[in-house]
Amino acid sequence: MDLPVDEWKSYVLQKWSLLPKSIQVTISTAETLSDIFLHSSSLLQPEDEMFLKRLSRGYLVGKDPNAPLFYREEGNKKFQKKDYMGATVLYSKGVSHSRPNSEDISLCYANRSAALFHLGQYETCLKDIVRAQTHGYPERLQAKLLLRKAECLVTLGRPHEASQTISDLESNFAAKPTLAASQFQVLQRTLCRLKVKVQEKENLTETSPAALTKAFEDVDLREENEQISSTSSSVSLCTDPLKGRYLVATKDILPGELLVKEDAFVSVLNPGEMPPWHRGLESKWDTRATNGDLYCHRCLKHTLAPVPCDGCSYAKYCSQECMQQAWDLYHSIECSLGGLLLTLGVFCHIALRSTLLARFEEAGKVINKLCGEITNRDTCLPESKNLAQILSYDLGGESKNKGKTVETPIPGCDINGKYENNYNAVFSLLPHTGNHSPVHKFLCALSVSALCRQLEAASLQVFTTGLKSSKLKAAAAPVLYPELNIWGVAMLRHMLQLQCNAQAITTIQQTGSEKNLITNSRQVRLATGLFPVVSLLNHSCSPNTSVSFISTIATVRASQQIKKGQEILHCYGPHESRMGVAERRQKLRSQYFFDCNCPPCEREKQRPSQGPGREAFCCHRCRALLQGDDVLSCGSTSCTESVSRDHLVSQLQDLQRQVGMARKLLRNGELERAIQLLLGCRHAAESFLLAEHSVVGEIEDDLAQAYAALGDWEKSAAHLQKSLRVVEVRHGPTSVEMGHELFKLAQIFFNGFAIPEALNTIQQAEKVLLVHYGPWNDEIQELQKMKSCLLDLPPIPVGPNE
């Protein structure tokens, strides 16, 4: 996903292995990125490009004229089964493959409006009705579209507009009677019903639609930092020869305080489970819903009614405005390259988009250094030199401030010492060229070279023409170069930067059946982005911050109290509650090129003989911890039990298969069978797993879900409380994982009408989730609704003997 597809990686690896040793050495020992790029680019042959093109053609990103009918018919099947969400996705796919101003696109929009109506998305339904009419919806079908419009307007409390729509409909039929008598009678009855509704609404005070969940604009920093953009004044930027750049607290910070609110400089939606290359499949059109179907490709907002690019079927947006902004900024170049970009991976796509966005800033001064590297090697500063020197040189070297010469103090800062979310800061992120393997650098360089060749072949004057954005016109004309080699070096730099600096943009998605009263959720990776300010945060396996996202906005909050002078730390993935120390160290060393010395790692290094942790096995006789390597022995001095590790691992795998079967029964609604199987799994787990083992917690959680589906709220709560204890031991009482489990428990108590328990759990869940997400979070909003509902209930009458 991040890197190119396996077929291209294997092809490049083979090409590398066949290169003469002298050429391998030349690329491996190259001192600059420009040397690596130019040497690799010279090795790209026409047959390499042809192979890459064949791979790219496997992705169906163009508009197929036969696809709209297929998706419309598949959507109709879902609609008839009352699967309106599934129908909406399929109609959207039909829209994406349709040409503008065609009957295909108007019919798909109209059908999608019907599905949205049944989903209660009335405002969005109205927009689709307008789109259908704009693209030439057939006159013969206008009646049902206008009726749907009137229904939406009535439901939204806009009776005057609904009345006008009904009048227009009646006038049209009076002038052009096109319906049969039976159809006309149905229409008349529907109109009469709507008129009654309109009259009822007109007698009421018209109210505005209910407000949506607080948008990210409402999440603001209390006082913005003057030194670092998008950052609270509670932090300061420092630099150290060993640690590099980092953030520290300038005062005592309380849990939940917002420290960073930064929009991504660049982001690319992860394609998710893209369909495989179509080799003789029965249908070449994919009917699965992916992130690309449900989220805007520019702002990443969730949308049920995406607006597609006019030129390709892949890019989709939440609105016409987002589509136009994306087109102006980068998609006018990317549109014809969709298959190639999917083949080359997200990192290559981000590298291209970053350089495209650089056109809108005075980035030419930064890129000028790369031009110098290519055209005049003697003026090149080696990459090992302090990057501040390079940036200082590129930005004019020095400035006059009160008669003194001021050098740029920290890489990425401007001449006034301010660090901003811009291309200068992105360019300053280290590519760690010396740490990447020669083969990896060759793969990245050859991929970027192929992309540059494709841009050149398409006669796309990427960086010099076709810029229509008002932002660009208003800015000073950037220094641009027609030679794609210069921008190729920039793209190679970005591609290498991403391994250590890319940020996964995540969202919380609900899982399981829509019929479930208890919400199961999981964190999923939605996109990949570059956040120059967030990239300043160093890693800890036990961080003091929590990072979450609202669309493309990253928010960093203190997850615990941070003392003045203490470093602000973020977890890069390997967390002490999820990985053992050996696994964490290996992950950080291989991806981020450093050995972690955070407090948890130091503690574990000083106690290497510490037991195997919470995922360990226990003795089936006395429940004591089993210890050892290939053969495990009971840790109790009074017990002589021993067992082979392989036997226990096999036992655990069998248990996990049984749990998987129970979950399948749950999904199919076979609740009693699922419960019996899960109770058996629970009994089996007790014989060889510690009480805080993750599988034990998962079994209790699944039992809670099953009993909730049966409406047995008391048993459901009992099992979830056991799961909650496992989560607390593994992740801590104030962890985000604990917050999500408390939210589920609050739902169970609420549905079981256990009022005191529900109110107490709601308070606990709110306290934890507010620290990690702030008040805009969907789960917090739901908790507040539950609390309001319970507090508004009339007191329960007490009998004389009670």
Side-chain angles (χ1 to χ4, degrees):
M1 183 184 293
D2 289 334
L3 294 174
V5 297
D6 290 340
E7 287 87 343
W8 178 243
K9 284 193 287 188
S10 299
Y11 182 92
V12 173
L13 179 61
Q14 183 181 23
K15 184 179 179 71
W16 172 264
S17 67
L18 296 175
L19 291 176
K21 190 69 176 176
S22 59
I23 296 179
Q24 289 186 359
V25 170
T26 298
I27 294 174
S28 301
T29 58
E31 293 186 0
T32 65
L33 287 170
S34 60
D35 286 334
I36 296 169
F37 177 77
L38 292 174
H39 284 305
S40 301
S41 182
S42 67
L43 298 170
L44 184 67
Q45 301 300 314
E47 57 267 26
D48 305 332
E49 295 181 73
M50 288 302 298
F51 179 78
L52 191 56
K53 284 180 181 178
R54 284 199 297 273
L55 294 178
S56 302
R57 283 196 290 267
Y59 290 101
L60 302 179
V61 294
K63 291 188 182 291
D64 189 327
N66 298 315
L69 177 61
F70 168 81
Y71 283 121
R72 200 164 70 246
E73 289 177 344
E74 292 298 308
N76 290 344
K77 293 175 186 176
K78 295 278 188 183
F79 191 94
Q80 288 164 6
K81 295 177 182 178
K82 297 187 177 180
D83 180 3
Y84 301 118
M85 185 64 73
T88 299
V89 170
L90 291 168
Y91 293 141
S92 294
K93 287 177 180 287
V95 169
S96 297
H97 278 277
S98 302
R99 292 290 177 187
N101 303 313
S102 64
E103 184 170 298
D104 278 333
I105 197 169
S106 68
L107 291 173
C108 287
Y109 273 134
N111 286 15
R112 192 172 74 181
S113 74
L116 291 167
F117 179 85
H118 285 281
L119 288 170
Q121 302 292 317
Y122 302 114
E123 290 284 4
T124 312
C125 174
L126 286 174
K127 290 178 181 177
D128 264 6
I129 289 171
V130 172
R131 288 168 184 147
Q133 292 173 322
T134 302
H135 288 279
Y137 190 65
E139 185 70 29
R140 67 184 186 279
L141 302 174
Q142 286 282 347
K144 59 182 180 181
L145 203 62
L146 290 173
L147 282 172
R148 192 176 302 135
K149 180 180 179 181
E151 289 264 23
C152 284
L153 292 168
V154 169
T155 306
L156 290 169
R158 292 152 64 179
H160 301 304
E161 294 174 70
S163 181
Q164 182 59 52
T165 302
I166 292 170
S167 297
D168 293 342
L169 186 57
E170 289 177 324
S171 300
N172 288 344
F173 279 107
K176 298 178 181 178
T178 57
L179 294 181
S182 59
Q183 292 175 310
F184 190 72
Q185 288 175 357
V186 172
L187 175 64
Q188 283 184 316
R189 285 197 295 271
T190 306
L191 284 173
C192 288
R193 178 173 54 82
L194 277 174
K195 285 179 179 179
V196 171
K197 281 188 175 182
V198 169
Q199 289 170 357
E200 290 173 353
K201 291 284 184 180
E202 284 177 337
N203 293 330
L204 300 172
T205 304
E206 193 167 343
T207 57
S208 59
L212 300 174
T213 303
K214 286 186 178 180
F216 58 81
E217 289 87 353
D218 296 328
V219 183
D220 286 320
L221 297 162
R222 291 181 183 175
E223 186 179 345
E224 192 156 350
N225 198 305
E226 294 182 0
Q227 182 195 14
I228 321 162
S229 68
S230 311
T231 307
S232 162
S233 60
S234 302
V235 303
S236 177
L237 175 59
C238 301
T239 186
D240 179 87
L242 296 177
K243 292 198 295 186
R245 300 171 298 181
Y246 62 100
L247 298 179
V248 297
T250 58
K251 64 176 186 178
D252 290 348
I253 296 170
L254 295 175
E257 184 175 335
L258 182 62
L259 304 179
V260 178
K261 176 194 169 187
E262 182 184 23
D263 198 355
F265 174 80
V266 61
S267 64
V268 170
L269 187 77
N270 282 5
E273 294 183 10
M274 290 295 292
W277 288 273
H278 302 283
R279 296 172 182 145
L281 295 181
E282 185 177 339
S283 173
K284 61 180 178 179
W285 299 303
D286 187 37
T287 56
R288 296 172 297 177
T290 66
N291 286 340
D293 299 309
L294 301 173
Y295 292 88
C296 177
H297 286 221
R298 193 195 75 82
C299 72
L300 304 182
K301 289 180 182 175
H302 186 270
T303 176
L304 292 176
V307 178
C309 168
D310 289 341
C312 69
S313 63
Y314 178 68
K316 307 174 186 74
Y317 305 95
C318 64
S319 64
Q320 190 73 25
E321 292 73 25
C322 255
M323 181 182 75
Q324 190 59 51
Q325 287 178 32
W327 184 263
D328 289 343
L329 291 171
Y330 47 77
H331 192 64
S332 57
I333 305 302
E334 297 176 355
C335 186
S336 64
L337 304 172
L340 178 62
L341 292 171
L342 288 169
T343 303
L344 294 178
V346 171
F347 281 4
C348 196
H349 195 164
I350 292 176
L352 170 63
R353 191 170 288 184
S354 297
T355 54
L356 291 173
L357 291 172
R359 301 174 300 166
F360 297 84
E361 298 183 15
E362 292 188 5
K365 293 179 180 178
V366 179
I367 300 300
N368 186 42
K369 183 62 199 174
L370 296 172
C371 185
E373 289 186 15
I374 293 174
T375 58
N376 184 0
R377 301 301 173 85
D378 295 332
T379 64
C380 168
L381 285 171
E383 192 176 83
S384 59
K385 289 287 187 72
N386 190 324
L387 190 58
Q389 293 176 279
I390 299 176
L391 291 172
S392 178
Y393 173 87
D394 292 327
L395 293 166
E398 54 187 33
S399 65
K400 297 295 181 181
N401 186 2
K402 297 182 180 179
K404 295 182 179 180
T405 299
V406 179
E407 201 172 277
T408 303
I410 297 177
C413 294
D414 62 20
I415 55 177
N416 297 312
K418 183 167 184 179
Y419 188 91
E420 297 190 83
N421 180 316
N422 57 20
Y423 188 74
N424 180 31
V426 169
F427 191 84
S428 75
L429 299 174
L430 293 178
H432 296 282
T433 309
N435 296 107
H436 293 285
S437 69
V439 175
H440 179 74
K441 288 184 282 193
F442 183 63
L443 170 66
C444 294
L446 208 66
S447 298
V448 169
S449 300
L451 180 56
C452 288
R453 295 271 184 95
Q454 186 62 32
L455 290 168
E456 190 175 28
S459 298
L460 295 174
Q461 298 177 15
V462 180
F463 303 104
T464 55
T465 62
L467 302 179
K468 299 178 181 178
S469 169
S470 57
K471 180 180 177 181
L472 182 60
K473 289 179 180 179
V479 181
L480 300 171
Y481 304 95
E483 298 87 353
L484 281 170
N485 279 344
I486 296 166
W487 294 91
V489 177
M491 283 190 271
L492 176 58
R493 180 183 183 87
H494 297 319
M495 202 167 176
L496 295 177
Q497 285 173 334
L498 285 162
Q499 180 164 319
C500 294
N501 293 286
Q503 177 67 53
I505 300 174
T506 59
T507 186
I508 302 296
Q509 287 185 350
Q510 294 184 5
T511 60
S513 169
E514 293 178 9
K515 298 177 182 177
N516 288 350
L517 294 172
I518 308 306
T519 302
N520 252 344
S521 60
R522 60 171 182 162
Q523 187 179 62
V524 297
R525 183 176 176 181
L526 180 60
T528 304
L530 273 174
F531 296 83
V533 175
V534 174
S535 291
L536 296 172
L537 297 174
N538 280 331
H539 167 80
S540 171
C541 298
S542 179
N544 52 21
T545 62
S546 184
V547 180
S548 60
F549 298 88
I550 316 169
S551 299
T552 57
I553 304 280
T555 60
V556 180
R557 294 178 182 275
S559 58
Q560 60 191 54
Q561 187 173 7
I562 303 173
K563 295 291 186 181
K564 180 180 178 179
Q566 191 177 345
E567 186 175 356
I568 312 297
L569 297 165
H570 167 42
C571 179
Y572 291 0
H575 196 285
E576 66 165 339
S577 69
R578 304 185 192 99
M579 291 184 188
V581 61
E583 188 181 359
R584 296 201 309 270
R585 288 174 184 164
Q586 191 278 330
K587 172 75 172 173
L588 292 167
R589 194 176 296 118
S590 62
Q591 182 172 347
Y592 297 100
F593 312 123
F594 71 88
D595 291 311
C596 186
N597 295 312
C598 70
C601 288
E602 287 298 303
R603 284 196 302 269
E604 292 178 60
K605 275 196 289 186
Q606 292 168 12
R607 292 180 291 175
S609 60
Q610 190 177 18
R614 293 179 287 267
E615 295 293 86
F617 300 109
C618 69
C619 175
H620 75 280
R621 290 183 183 275
C622 64
R623 301 286 300 162
L625 181 69
L626 291 175
Q627 298 176 327
D629 295 320
D630 294 336
V631 177
L632 303 178
S633 302
C634 182
S636 172
T637 55
S638 60
C639 182
T640 59
E641 191 69 20
S642 64
V643 63
S644 75
R645 180 179 294 277
D646 288 344
H647 174 73
L648 291 172
V649 169
S650 176
Q651 199 173 346
L652 176 60
Q653 290 171 344
D654 183 62
L655 177 64
Q656 290 172 320
R657 281 193 292 269
Q658 294 291 315
V659 173
M661 290 171 60
R663 287 173 180 163
K664 187 174 181 180
L665 291 171
L666 271 176
R667 289 194 297 271
N668 294 335
E670 298 181 61
L671 303 177
E672 294 291 353
R673 287 183 62 194
I675 288 172
Q676 291 306 311
L677 185 53
L678 285 168
L679 289 173
C681 290
R682 180 189 178 196
H683 179 72
E686 288 172 350
S687 69
F688 72 106
L689 296 181
L690 290 176
E692 58 267 26
H693 196 286
S694 60
V695 173
V696 174
E698 290 167 10
I699 292 170
E700 297 292 353
D701 193 273
D702 291 335
L703 280 166
Q705 292 284 337
Y707 281 116
L710 285 174
D712 192 335
W713 302 109
E714 188 174 347
K715 284 186 178 179
S716 179
H719 285 290
L720 194 64
Q721 284 170 316
K722 292 177 182 177
S723 171
L724 201 62
R725 284 195 284 274
V726 175
V727 172
E728 183 173 0
V729 170
R730 293 178 61 80
H731 300 286
T734 60
S735 64
V736 67
E737 291 86 357
M738 191 70 174
H740 293 309
E741 285 295 299
L742 285 167
F743 173 74
K744 287 196 289 187
L745 184 60
Q747 288 182 308
I748 290 171
F749 283 137
F750 178 85
N751 284 286
F753 212 61
I755 298 175
E757 293 88 347
L759 288 172
N760 181 51
T761 308
I762 287 169
Q763 184 178 6
Q764 292 179 61
E766 276 187 305
K767 184 178 179 181
V768 175
L769 291 173
L770 276 168
V771 168
H772 295 281
Y773 293 117
W776 62 268
N777 177 259
D778 289 343
E779 289 186 349
I780 291 174
Q781 297 289 311
E782 184 65 27
L783 289 167
Q784 291 172 349
K785 289 176 185 176
M786 286 192 283
K787 180 167 63 176
S788 177
C789 180
L790 292 173
L791 292 175
D792 287 344
L793 290 172
I796 299 174
V798 180
N801 297 323
E802 296 183 59

